[in-house]
Amino acid sequence: MSSNELVPVAELLGLQYDSRKFSASGLVRAWIDEDADEDGLDDDNEESDEEFSSSKRVRLSTILEFDVHSTSEVTGNPDSKMYIRTKYAWYILHMPTEEYRPFFTSFWIKHRVLHLLLSSAIRDRRTSYQEFLESLSDVEGDNLFREEALASVQMLGRVLTEADIQSEDVKIYAAGNFPEMCEDYDIPLKTVRLATEYLQFDLSDDEDSERNFEPRTKTHKPKSKRIPTQSVLSDKEMEVLKHRNTTYVTPIVSQIMKNLFSVPLHFAEIPIIEDDSEVITEIDNVKTHHMNPTSMRWGRAEGDMFSSLTIDGVEYCVGQNVMVVPGDDEDTKRARISETDASQSPNSYANHLWFCKICYFFEETVDGKKVKMFHGQWFIHGSKTILQETAHSKSLFLLKSCEDNPAASIFKKCNIKMLGPEDAEPPDDGQPHSNDFHCALAYDEKEASFTNLPSEQEMVELLQRETCISCATRKRQEQLNDIVITSDGFTRHGTNYHPNDFIYIRPCGRTTGLLDIAQITMIKVRSGDLRLTVKMLERPGKLQRSGRGLPWDERRLYLTDNLQDLDDIDLLDGMCFVRHLTDADEIDEWASQDDHFYVNQHVSARTGQLADLDAGVLGQCGACSTERARKHREQQRLLTRNGPIRCLELFSGAGGLGTGLDLSGFVETKYAVEFSPSAAATYAKNHPNTTVYCQDSNKLLKQAYEASKGETTRPLVSGIDGKTRLPPMPRRGDVDMVSGAFYGRLDGDGQFKCTMTTAAPNTKESWLLHPTQKRIMSVRELARSQGFPDDYVFLSEDKTQSGQKLVVNQIRQIGNAVPVPFALHLGKSLGAALLKDWETERERREREGSVVV
């Protein structure tokens, strides 16, 4: 449904990434290209009142393409016009209406400045910033300058000014697009004077630091703007933030981000995938043929279903994998993304067909006619997932979705090899007509995540009553959501609950904050309804704020006399485990595990007073406690046998993310990349077994990419001391996981609002004043707020720093860090997934009779 909402024209730049559909309306008249007028027709293309009076007001169909960087086919020069394309024609965006002008002119200025920059570079690469600025208002100059200036007057009612071209938005847009456009016109960027004087690119490099401006005369030779050497930098920490090096990215990142950064983006090129005419012709022939196949003959009937179908002499059987001719994809966003350049594969079939497994054949009546159908389990090609151009050309992923399809949509059979956890992915030969594919994982389109395929045992269980895995999985999930009453309790979502179990409860009417914790005292079933009576446990926050209770420990709970009836079972949110403990070492060992708490005091509901709790008062479910202990021992054994996964951390900072992940026990951060010398030194000091690369990630990425192609690369130097040679980046097989500091902070009861990178009480939205003392928070207090251990050392690489500068440096490191507890929970969540994989593998080996160490 159309919203008839005005949107800025700049939003059309993301047309291929946006699921929304855009349209346009206005006065339309024919355009006569003066440059292409070879027949001596009237070349007066002035916009007369008569022409506009004869124009037609139209509403266009959906905009399919937006082109603002075209080249004149006649002159070969940049074309300043903006074009949109619909299904039926190309249109030029000319003058906006008064109502739409605010949505148009800001982008027009950015686009105009970029066009003028490029035109200037083509005419004379030696043009200075001052000369460029003067040309903007030259309404009396030569024809070219005059026309450019008058175009601004026509659109804005004035000429472009220095304030326009120095606008941050304008410079970002120009800087993001100018390098690529210079490359299109074979103009070396370092020869364009405006690239440094206006866009302020640093184009010097170690191999060739000359600008090659080819001055008009010796007196006009520009002075070289070299970056100061490390020895004369006044503040190395601030210097690394100035982004001196070229940003090196992948093609898809370049497409999306080039308009958002005021630096040139260089990317690793990938081969252009062109349409395979043979495959397209083959598909068209099959589509035409299947509209009226000469024969469609059922195989053996099995009730309302059929085991096979013969189409024009080719037999298709249940269980076989086929490629089908696509219909209309209901997911419009997925359909649009699948057509982008980044989603094309070297395999031609992957670019034009869909893949599925035949689950069963059946027949249904449509408009009074019987139509032969099949039910298919869908696969998705890797290039149509978040992997896009990085996907193996023969990789498929199992989807959770299935669908009824016309049998006539079948294109041909294909071979799909299901790979087990230990099976290696075959090398990618990039063959365009290969009909052999493989599948090793399932793909969740909603979460954009990859998961393991169901095990053989799970497949057997799923297919006992269903012929489709997706249908069976859906029904099983529905059953898990149901409450099943057992002899000693009940089961829901796969968890068994009994009297004396401890549970999480979502507070009624509140969607944020901590979950309540209670112990089940009674389970009652009346008229088919399940009701629980629970005894509430108090978290330390409330008692701490009232001035009672022991020193803060989030793992501690207090037993209460508060009994409540839980009528709404939907508020039940899982199980936890509570023990009566008093020994500090036992507490640390027990409470280091997820969902583990301890209690040793009771709070009176009548007086609010605390009293020590006898060990025998707290009941336990023996079966659940025993199973929890067994599972923990088994998990520790699996972790010892398999070891932690090896991690490369990008943008590591002082080490908040790496510290938390390593504390989980499931991750070992072996490599870290950080540009800030002080933060890198801090990381190396606290993680002596980690190789820390203190270098620009762009240079490291470029070096790694070139090394992967077999090219010889020069060693990079560590930014900590400016002389230590860094080892090569890890190669494929050296790293199991890459992590990076991208996160958001949550606000909650008793938590810091936010840890700032600059500690000053007058900073907007800062909360740095101590709650009771007349001072800001100390470095160690801020470190604790981010969860750093008290023995974590924060270094400053600049040995001359002391006093206030040293503190500012340390606070910047802390404020930039990922909170350690957050990273710890990430690591534990990753560990839970690893343990599930390891347990599945152990069970498989036991079934097969393999030796399990």
Side-chain angles (χ1 to χ4, degrees):
M1 180 180 293
S2 173
S3 65
N4 289 325
E5 176 187 1
L6 294 178
V7 297
V9 69
E11 293 198 20
L12 295 179
L13 292 171
L15 200 59
Q16 60 181 319
Y17 308 107
D18 202 321
S19 60
R20 295 176 296 171
K21 293 183 179 181
F22 299 92
S23 183
S25 63
L27 295 175
V28 175
R29 64 181 177 87
W31 171 264
I32 300 176
D33 192 341
E34 296 176 358
D35 293 330
D37 185 6
E38 300 176 356
D39 299 325
L41 298 177
D42 182 7
D43 61 357
D44 184 9
N45 205 32
E46 297 295 324
E47 295 144 359
S48 65
D49 294 338
E50 182 181 349
E51 284 178 312
F52 271 107
S53 65
S54 62
S55 299
K56 295 182 179 179
R57 179 172 294 279
V58 299
R59 180 185 178 91
L60 303 184
S61 58
T62 300
I63 298 172
L64 302 177
E65 193 173 345
F66 183 48
D67 186 359
V68 292
H69 301 316
S70 59
T71 301
S72 171
E73 296 180 358
V74 177
T75 67
N77 292 326
D79 187 345
S80 64
K81 295 185 285 296
M82 300 183 195
Y83 296 87
I84 59 174
R85 181 178 68 84
T86 70
K87 182 180 179 181
Y88 305 101
W90 280 97
Y91 298 87
I92 298 170
L93 298 182
H94 192 46
M95 294 296 294
T97 64
E98 287 304 314
E99 182 183 11
Y100 191 66
R101 188 176 294 275
F103 298 88
F104 186 82
T105 52
S106 60
F107 177 73
W108 185 91
I109 292 173
K110 290 189 287 188
H111 169 67
R112 194 71 183 175
V113 170
L114 176 61
H115 169 74
L116 294 175
L117 278 175
L118 184 61
S119 298
S120 176
I122 292 174
R123 285 196 303 267
D124 188 349
R125 304 176 195 176
R126 301 165 298 180
T127 300
S128 68
Y129 172 71
Q130 189 61 38
E131 291 169 336
F132 177 71
L133 191 61
E134 292 171 357
S135 71
L136 300 179
S137 57
D138 190 1
V139 294
E140 303 294 338
D142 63 30
N143 288 340
L144 186 58
F145 287 126
R146 183 175 63 84
E147 289 178 7
E148 300 287 12
L150 290 177
S152 300
V153 173
Q154 185 180 20
M155 176 62 66
L156 306 174
R158 60 176 176 80
V159 296
L160 289 172
T161 66
E162 185 171 18
D164 292 321
I165 66 173
Q166 286 296 338
S167 164
E168 188 69 18
D169 288 345
V170 171
K171 293 186 72 173
I172 287 176
Y173 180 78
N177 290 277
F178 189 63
E180 185 178 340
M181 298 184 72
C182 282
E183 187 175 337
D184 290 341
Y185 286 89
D186 296 324
I187 301 174
L189 188 62
K190 65 182 178 181
T191 68
V192 180
R193 190 170 178 178
L194 283 169
T196 53
E197 291 191 5
Y198 168 50
L199 297 177
Q200 298 180 330
F201 289 164
D202 174 65
L203 301 174
S204 64
D205 55 50
D206 295 333
E207 297 178 1
D208 185 3
S209 59
E210 294 301 321
R211 299 256 194 268
N212 297 323
F213 285 137
E214 301 175 3
R216 300 181 181 86
T217 66
K218 290 183 179 180
T219 57
H220 287 87
K221 184 175 182 179
K223 296 180 179 179
S224 176
K225 288 176 58 181
R226 294 187 178 276
I227 303 174
T229 60
Q230 188 168 5
S231 60
V232 299
L233 294 179
S234 59
D235 189 338
K236 290 174 62 177
E237 288 305 313
M238 297 306 296
E239 188 65 26
V240 300
L241 301 178
K242 295 182 179 179
H243 200 95
R244 299 288 192 182
N245 302 307
T246 299
T247 302
Y248 198 80
V249 297
T250 61
I252 188 65
V253 173
S254 177
Q255 290 179 33
I256 297 172
M257 307 302 291
K258 67 182 180 181
N259 295 324
L260 303 180
F261 292 93
S262 57
V263 294
L265 304 180
H266 286 199
F267 58 88
E269 294 185 2
I270 59 172
I272 297 175
I273 307 297
E274 297 186 2
D275 266 342
D276 190 321
S277 58
E278 292 183 19
V279 171
I280 294 174
T281 301
E282 186 182 1
I283 292 172
D284 288 340
N285 290 339
V286 170
K287 287 167 68 175
T288 303
H289 182 58
H290 278 181
M291 288 180 182
N292 185 24
T294 56
S295 68
M296 270 193 178
R297 183 167 47 83
W298 285 126
R300 189 177 74 255
E302 298 177 357
D304 295 334
M305 301 178 187
F306 299 88
S307 61
S308 65
L309 176 66
T310 300
I311 304 177
D312 297 331
V314 179
E315 184 181 32
Y316 297 93
C317 301
V318 169
Q320 290 181 337
N321 301 302
V322 294
M323 293 182 274
V324 299
V325 178
D328 294 329
D329 194 341
E330 295 179 355
D331 189 332
T332 56
K333 184 176 182 180
R334 179 177 60 195
R336 292 178 65 85
I337 292 175
S338 68
E339 296 297 324
T340 61
D341 291 342
S343 293
Q344 303 310 298
S345 169
N347 186 281
S348 297
Y349 293 127
N351 296 329
H352 300 285
L353 298 165
W354 293 348
F355 303 83
C356 67
K357 178 180 181 178
I358 300 173
C359 299
Y360 56 86
F361 289 102
F362 65 101
E363 201 166 58
E364 71 176 14
T365 302
V366 179
D367 297 330
K369 297 181 179 180
K370 289 187 176 181
V371 179
K372 291 178 171 60
M373 306 284 290
F374 76 95
H375 185 81
Q377 165 81 52
W378 289 116
F379 292 85
I380 188 171
H381 190 269
S383 63
K384 305 303 185 285
T385 69
I386 57 172
L387 298 177
Q388 292 196 309
E389 74 268 15
T390 66
H392 194 295
S393 67
K394 300 177 184 177
S395 64
L396 301 179
F397 298 91
L398 186 68
L399 294 177
K400 295 180 179 179
S401 57
C402 54
E403 197 170 0
D404 295 337
N405 304 284
S409 66
I410 295 176
F411 174 70
K412 67 192 308 184
K413 298 177 185 178
C414 63
N415 304 312
I416 303 178
K417 181 180 180 181
M418 307 302 288
L419 301 180
E422 295 184 349
D423 295 332
E425 187 176 57
D428 191 350
D429 57 14
Q431 289 296 321
H433 299 153
S434 178
N435 194 20
D436 296 314
F437 300 89
H438 60 265
C439 177
L441 296 169
Y443 183 66
D444 187 326
E445 291 185 287
K446 183 178 180 181
E447 301 293 335
S449 62
F450 299 92
T451 57
N452 285 337
L453 295 170
S455 65
E456 292 182 13
Q457 184 177 355
E458 287 176 319
M459 296 278 276
V460 171
E461 293 174 355
L462 286 170
L463 298 178
Q464 282 181 344
R465 294 185 177 86
E466 296 287 338
T467 56
C468 172
I469 297 173
S470 291
C471 293
T473 302
R474 214 161 27 242
K475 288 188 177 180
R476 184 176 67 171
Q477 188 59 48
E478 292 171 357
Q479 292 171 353
L480 286 174
N481 292 338
D482 294 336
I483 297 174
V484 179
I485 306 299
T486 62
S487 60
D488 57 349
F490 67 96
T491 299
R492 195 183 191 198
H493 300 307
T495 301
N496 300 317
Y497 297 92
H498 313 94
N500 287 327
D501 277 335
F502 295 89
I503 59 174
Y504 290 117
I505 301 174
R506 281 184 281 115
C508 187
R510 181 159 56 91
T511 58
T512 60
L514 298 174
L515 298 173
D516 291 334
I517 296 177
Q519 184 177 31
I520 300 175
T521 61
M522 187 178 299
I523 300 175
K524 297 172 286 187
V525 180
R526 294 180 180 175
S527 303
D529 292 332
L530 179 68
R531 295 186 179 182
L532 305 180
T533 300
V534 299
K535 179 179 288 188
M536 304 302 298
L537 287 93
E538 193 75 68
R539 287 185 181 269
K542 184 176 180 180
L543 295 172
Q544 207 68 31
R545 287 191 291 271
S546 66
R548 296 173 289 129
L550 295 174
W552 177 277
D553 187 346
E554 63 181 8
R555 307 167 301 176
R556 173 192 293 275
L557 299 174
Y558 297 89
L559 190 65
T560 74
D561 299 322
N562 182 10
L563 291 176
Q564 294 186 12
D565 289 329
L566 184 64
D567 297 327
D568 187 356
I569 300 300
D570 287 336
L571 296 177
L572 180 63
D573 205 358
M575 185 183 295
C576 59
F577 300 87
V578 183
R579 287 181 57 189
H580 179 281
L581 295 171
T582 56
D583 181 78
D585 292 336
E586 288 187 41
I587 290 173
D588 285 340
E589 181 180 356
W590 166 258
S592 64
Q593 302 175 52
D594 287 342
D595 304 312
H596 280 208
F597 302 88
Y598 71 96
V599 61
N600 52 36
Q601 286 193 313
H602 172 272
V603 56
S604 171
R606 184 174 60 85
T607 65
Q609 296 298 313
L610 293 174
D612 290 339
L613 187 68
D614 292 335
V617 172
L618 192 70
Q620 295 283 343
C621 173
C624 291
S625 298
T626 301
E627 174 59 19
R628 180 70 171 184
R630 184 204 66 77
K631 189 172 183 179
H632 177 64
R633 289 193 300 270
E634 178 63 18
Q635 289 176 346
Q636 290 300 113
R637 192 171 72 86
L638 287 171
L639 178 58
T640 301
R641 189 184 74 187
N642 293 279
I645 60 176
R646 301 162 297 174
C647 178
L648 163 65
E649 183 180 358
L650 303 177
F651 320 113
S652 63
L657 180 61
T659 299
L661 291 175
D662 290 353
L663 284 173
S664 73
F666 294 100
V667 177
E668 180 184 6
T669 305
K670 296 184 69 68
Y671 310 95
V673 175
E674 172 53 43
F675 200 12
S676 163
S678 294
T682 294
Y683 200 112
K685 172 69 175 178
N686 294 278
H687 301 80
N689 297 324
T690 300
T691 300
V692 179
Y693 297 86
C694 183
Q695 244 312 336
D696 188 335
S697 58
N698 298 295
K699 289 187 174 182
L700 292 168
L701 175 58
K702 184 178 181 181
Q703 183 193 59
Y705 178 73
E706 291 172 348
S708 70
K709 297 193 300 180
E711 299 178 9
T712 302
T713 60
R714 291 189 301 174
L716 296 173
V717 176
S718 173
I720 295 179
D721 58 11
K723 59 184 179 181
T724 301
R725 287 191 170 189
L726 294 172
M729 289 289 285
R731 294 182 176 272
R732 179 176 295 184
D734 295 337
V735 172
D736 304 311
M737 181 184 80
V738 178
S739 64
F742 301 101
Y743 69 99
R745 293 191 182 91
L746 302 177
D747 187 16
D749 294 339
Q751 298 177 357
F752 270 63
K753 295 278 186 181
C754 182
T755 299
M756 309 294 289
T757 58
T758 301
N762 61 343
T763 302
K764 185 178 180 180
E765 291 299 317
S766 64
W767 305 82
L768 294 165
L769 295 178
H770 192 279
T772 59
Q773 300 175 16
K774 296 180 180 180
R775 62 177 178 84
I776 67 171
M777 307 300 291
S778 70
V779 170
R780 289 260 55 107
E781 287 167 337
L782 292 172
R784 276 193 176 187
S785 77
Q786 291 284 69
F788 282 103
D790 286 344
D791 59 356
Y792 206 88
V793 179
F794 295 93
L795 299 179
S796 172
E797 191 280 332
D798 189 344
K799 307 303 181 185
T800 65
Q801 284 189 349
S802 60
Q804 183 179 356
K805 284 189 175 181
L806 179 61
V807 171
V808 168
N809 192 324
Q810 292 172 329
I811 290 176
R812 184 187 302 120
Q813 295 180 45
I814 295 169
N816 282 330
V818 173
V820 175
F822 173 79
L824 172 60
H825 285 285
L826 279 180
K828 288 184 175 181
S829 296
L830 177 63
L834 285 172
L835 288 168
K836 186 176 180 180
D837 284 349
W838 293 338
E839 288 172 352
T840 300
E841 175 61 17
R842 176 182 58 79
E843 292 171 358
R844 183 187 68 81
R845 289 177 175 270
E846 289 178 347
R847 288 195 306 272
E848 296 175 354
S850 303
V851 177
V852 179
V853 180

